Amino acid sequence: MIKFLDLEKINNRFRDEINSRIAKILDKGWYLQGEENEIFTKNFAKYCDTKHCIGVANGLDALNLIIKAMGFGVGDEIIVPSNTYIASILAITQNGCTPVLVEPDINTYNINPNLIEEKITPKTKAIMVVHLYGQAVQMEKIWQLAKKYNLKVIEDSAQAHGAIYNNLKTGNLSDASGFSFYPGKNLGCLGDGGAITTNDDELAKKIKAIANYGSDRKYHHIYKGVNSRLDEIQAAILDIKLKYLDEDNNRRREISKYYRENIKNEKIILPRTYDENSHVWHVFAVRTQKRDEFQQYLSDNQIQTIIHYPTPPHKQLAYSEWNNLSYPISEEIHNTIISLPISPVMTDYEIEKIVEVANEYI
């Protein structure tokens, strides 16, 4: 079976380095908010070309903390794509804000910038963009709208570590960006982890305090905070893997290019990108009308796939108040999307096999 994502093979490349760093942490006996966290967040901020990076517990917390630190709450609206993983929307509603869903571009799967302005009201406080599947959102129109209506821009960069728009990396395209380091991400740790990047000094200071029980120094609490911290072991692992991120992303781009140039089956709609550097191919998502049949066909041919995602947020039971709403572009995507294997440790044989089997699908 060609695995969708072989995490054991991915992480075994770094086994010796990881063991060495973990041994140092054990010897120091310091497991939270220590040197490893400082090293990684400094290096990740440098990688994203931002002034600040704050390590947090996971990607959902990252978005949650950004919204909380910006002071948004009940009655405030945040524009967000209707085609996204539910975490983007959970962060909004967990702060008491109202998500305003905007349809994606069918070609990029990202929020359609041309549909945003009509959804802006006096209650709108921010636009949250999601760099879905690893492709950076085309930001120019969004920046213009944010300036025109005095809105904040928030990035959900959970799937797009290293993607580039106009020579700027994701994480540096907004007022603040949330990252996830879930193990399957392009930059993934060995558990849960997340980070926030920003160039705003005051916002960074506030986020850091809120994430640490609202404390700016020990036993001194200036906000009603939460506990959301990136532990030392995960920070060390991420710092090791960060050195190889660009190399891994380039391999993903090579695989994607091969797929896009060689899968010729008219029943399979291939993903598009407006610029090769804009996409880091966290997943290679194709569309086909008989998705379940296609998935079974691939499984019968020893190819593992995953559906990202089978049900759009507005059709989830958690948001039952939206279940009667219609977002036809999102629904089309969610009903037809399926992700083929793509990772930096795939062999040429595996890649060629997937193309061969895909082309033989009838």
Side-chain angles (χ1 to χ4, degrees), residues 120-269:
I120 295 174
T121 75
K123 296 181 180 180
T124 307
K125 300 298 182 182
I127 302 169
M128 180 187 289
V129 298
V130 181
H131 306 300
L132 197 66
Y133 304 147
Q135 179 156 218
V137 172
Q138 293 176 281
M139 296 295 297
E140 193 64 43
K141 181 75 176 287
I142 291 164
W143 290 334
Q144 292 170 3
L145 290 172
K147 184 176 181 181
K148 180 178 178 180
Y149 293 99
N150 192 29
L151 305 176
K152 295 292 187 181
V153 179
I154 301 167
E155 291 172 83
D156 181 341
S157 301
Q159 300 184 7
H161 315 74
I164 296 171
Y165 176 80
N166 278 10
N167 296 316
L168 296 172
K169 283 181 179 166
T170 52
N172 193 22
L173 300 170
S174 62
D175 293 284
S177 174
F179 286 89
S180 167
F181 301 125
Y182 182 78
K185 304 298 186 184
N186 290 32
L187 180 62
C189 54
L190 301 188
D192 272 323
I196 297 162
T197 56
T198 182
N199 291 309
D200 185 324
D201 296 341
E202 288 304 311
L203 185 65
K205 186 177 179 181
K206 188 173 182 181
I207 289 170
K208 192 170 185 179
I210 293 173
N212 186 33
Y213 297 98
S215 174
D216 60 341
R217 62 183 187 272
K218 195 167 185 178
Y219 301 134
H220 186 256
H221 305 272
I222 54 178
Y223 305 110
K224 296 174 183 176
V226 299
N227 174 23
S228 183
R229 299 174 293 195
L230 180 66
D231 71 65
E232 289 288 276
I233 289 176
Q234 303 302 342
I237 291 165
L238 289 166
D239 193 58
I240 291 165
K241 297 176 75 172
L242 179 61
K243 296 180 294 184
Y244 305 95
L245 178 57
D246 285 342
E247 180 183 334
D248 282 357
N249 283 344
N250 285 335
R251 177 58 175 161
R252 288 175 179 270
R253 290 185 178 111
E254 289 174 1
I255 297 168
S256 164
K257 187 176 181 181
Y258 187 84
Y259 282 163
R260 285 177 289 137
E261 289 179 350
N262 291 282
I263 294 177
K264 304 292 186 180
N265 193 326
E266 293 182 356
K267 292 187 175 183
I268 301 170
I269 301 171

